Amino acid sequence: SEAEKLLSEAVPEARYDQLRNAINDISSRVSQVELLNSLIEHAGRFAPKGTFFILRNDEFSAWKGFGENSSTDGALPDVKLPASADTVLGDAVRSVATVESSYGSHSDDEQFLTPLNFGRPDRMYAIPLMARGRAVAVLYADYGSAGISLNIEALETLVRVAGLTGELRAATKPVIAPAGSKDASVQ
């Protein structure tokens, strides 16, 4: 009975209705900021804490957080670190895949864990957000201090939907003909 109890505590509840609603909400967003805000909001339903990092000019910049240790608006301290650093974030970008790690596995994880007050997580994940075949951001999540369940499959799905939605929005921007041309009414 103890083994069954441990197994039932370790398996996160599927909550398909929440996943469906999150996918619908994320994919309905028009602007990139709305899309990413929606991703962060919904990620908080599938993990106790995390941070979304933007990758720009080979540098990670913490953009917004969710869950434990984050403010009500998700604002974060100014955390920047090179993509080349030995972190779970950099590993996810280089491998272009979700990376599961633990504290101490990457020598430079302290560069973001300490300023974000994330402590020493024994299980942490980095999920790259892809656009045009390359990682442009990373969603970091861990189990937090309460050991609440984390649904990595749901997080991977949300990040994938956000990436695809962003690409679709960029590819389908309306084309507006220059003023004065005979096709000026085409939008």
Side-chain angles (χ1 to χ4, degrees):
S1 70
E2 284 296 315
E4 287 177 2
K5 183 179 174 185
L6 287 174
L7 182 60
S8 69
E9 289 175 1
V11 177
E13 185 181 336
R15 304 184 314 215
Y16 293 112
D17 59 331
Q18 287 186 6
L19 183 58
R20 177 204 59 223
N21 295 343
I23 289 168
N24 289 340
D25 187 52
I26 291 168
S27 62
S28 71
R29 301 305 174 146
V30 177
S31 77
Q32 183 179 23
V33 171
E34 288 176 341
L35 188 148
L36 295 178
N37 277 326
S38 180
L39 170 62
I40 295 301
E41 175 188 335
H42 293 291
R45 294 188 176 109
F46 297 99
K49 73 175 179 190
T51 299
F52 190 74
F53 291 86
I54 304 289
L55 180 59
R56 192 175 295 137
N57 299 324
D58 292 323
E59 182 178 67
F60 290 110
S61 182
W63 182 67
K64 200 169 265 196
F66 62 89
E68 293 176 19
N69 303 334
S70 70
S71 62
T72 54
D73 65 354
L76 299 171
D78 187 28
V79 177
K80 295 180 189 279
L81 61 147
S84 60
D86 181 29
T87 63
V88 65
L89 307 173
D91 198 1
V93 167
R94 286 185 291 279
S95 67
V96 193
T98 298
V99 173
E100 179 180 0
S101 187
S102 60
Y103 181 81
S105 296
H106 295 88
S107 61
D108 296 326
D109 282 342
E110 281 295 323
Q111 291 182 27
F112 72 91
L113 291 173
T114 299
L116 295 174
N117 277 336
F118 280 178
R120 298 177 172 198
D122 55 334
R123 284 187 290 176
M124 53 189 179
Y125 299 89
I127 307 164
L129 187 142
M130 305 298 293
R132 296 185 181 126
R134 63 183 184 90
V136 296
V138 175
L139 179 71
Y140 167 87
D142 69 43
Y143 279 80
S145 60
I148 300 171
S149 67
L150 183 147
N151 188 328
I152 190 62
E153 293 83 5
L155 293 173
E156 289 173 322
T157 300
L158 296 181
V159 170
R160 177 79 175 193
V161 167
L164 292 171
T165 301
E167 284 194 69
L168 182 62
R169 296 292 182 259
T172 59
K173 292 207 185 251
V175 177
I176 300 173
S181 75
K182 57 184 168 184
D183 292 330
S185 63
V186 177
Q187 292 189 356

